[in-house]
């Protein structure tokens, strides 16, 4: 079965799709995720290249991509140097995500349905990208690496 034109994504509290839903101007998908830039090789000092991003993608009511706010909170190496407290990379990312979500008027957390899109920031691919292998097709959220496939009920596989 082909990837549908609009891909459902199920809201799952306390899991990786806990920051999705609708707001006054459409739909949103937000996350905090680590990512490497495209083409990165592990022998290049990976701790300095693995970056933590706060991501907010917005869509209209029909799931058409509108915009993204993507912010790098820091690297894995920085997180290791300061793992706890207000100054940690992870804590900074969480605070920034909360601020972004608060900026969405009439926000509610619920299932969404969006169309594939992609944007590259700092050499990192972000988006819902159609993939195909051995005759099977799916939509994959990058850089989170969540795969959506048949039966197209919004659940994901990692």
């Amino acid at each position: 079965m082909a990837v549908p034109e609009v891909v459902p994504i199920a809201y799952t509290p306390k899991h990786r799709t806990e920051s999705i839903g609708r707001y006054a101007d459409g739909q949103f998908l937000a996350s905090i995720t680590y990512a490497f830039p495209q083409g990165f090789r592990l022998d290049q000092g990976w701790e300095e290249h693995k970056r933590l991003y706060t991501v907010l993608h917005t869509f209209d009511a029909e799931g058409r991509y509108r915009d993204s706010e993507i912010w790098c909170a820091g690297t894995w190496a920085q997180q290791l140097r300061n793992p706890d407290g207000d100054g940690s990379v992870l804590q900074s990312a969480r605070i920034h995500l909360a601020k972004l979500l608060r900026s969405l008027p009439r926000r509610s957390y619920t299932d969404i349905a969006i169309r594939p899109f992609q944007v590259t920031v700092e050499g990192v691919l972000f988006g819902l990208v159609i993939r195909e292998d051995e005759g099977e097709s799916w939509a994959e959220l990058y850089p989170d690496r969540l795969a959506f496939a048949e039966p197209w009920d919004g659940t994901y596989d990692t």
Side-chain angles (χ1 to χ4, degrees):
M1 175 187 250
V3 175
E5 198 172 303
V6 180
V7 177
I9 300 177
Y11 167 67
T12 308
K14 299 184 181 179
H15 289 275
R16 295 180 62 191
T17 57
E18 69 180 352
S19 297
I20 68 170
R22 299 187 179 274
Y23 73 112
D25 295 328
Q27 304 178 75
F28 68 91
L29 185 156
S31 68
I32 295 174
T33 185
Y34 276 104
F36 288 105
Q38 292 177 357
F40 171 76
R41 293 185 3 238
L42 283 175
D43 63 351
Q44 297 175 330
W46 67 271
E47 298 90 344
E48 292 293 339
H49 293 277
K50 185 177 182 179
R51 303 178 210 144
L52 185 63
Y53 289 94
T54 300
V55 180
L56 173 64
H57 302 296
T58 55
F59 309 86
D60 68 14
E62 288 77 40
R64 286 184 290 270
Y65 175 73
R66 278 200 175 139
D67 195 23
S68 296
E69 182 157 338
I70 299 169
W71 178 72
C72 181
T75 66
W76 179 252
Q78 290 170 312
Q79 178 65 22
L80 290 176
R81 286 192 292 273
N82 183 16
D84 301 310
D86 293 338
S88 78
V89 169
L90 183 57
Q91 185 63 21
S92 295
R94 288 177 176 154
I95 290 167
H96 192 73
L97 179 62
K99 181 172 58 170
L100 290 175
L101 292 171
R102 281 193 308 271
S103 75
L104 299 172
R106 298 196 316 269
R107 173 186 76 253
S108 65
Y109 297 98
T110 187
D111 298 349
I112 63 173
I114 61 173
R115 298 170 191 271
F117 72 100
Q118 58 185 339
V119 60
T120 301
V121 174
E122 298 179 351
V124 177
L125 175 64
F126 294 86
L128 185 66
V129 180
I130 305 302
R131 295 291 185 214
E132 192 172 312
D133 187 32
E134 296 182 15
E136 293 188 30
S137 299
W138 68 95
E140 191 160 343
L141 184 64
Y142 280 89
D144 305 73
R145 303 304 296 255
L146 304 182
F148 301 90
E150 289 186 47
W152 303 109
D153 59 0
T155 58
Y156 63 85
D157 190 15
T158 56

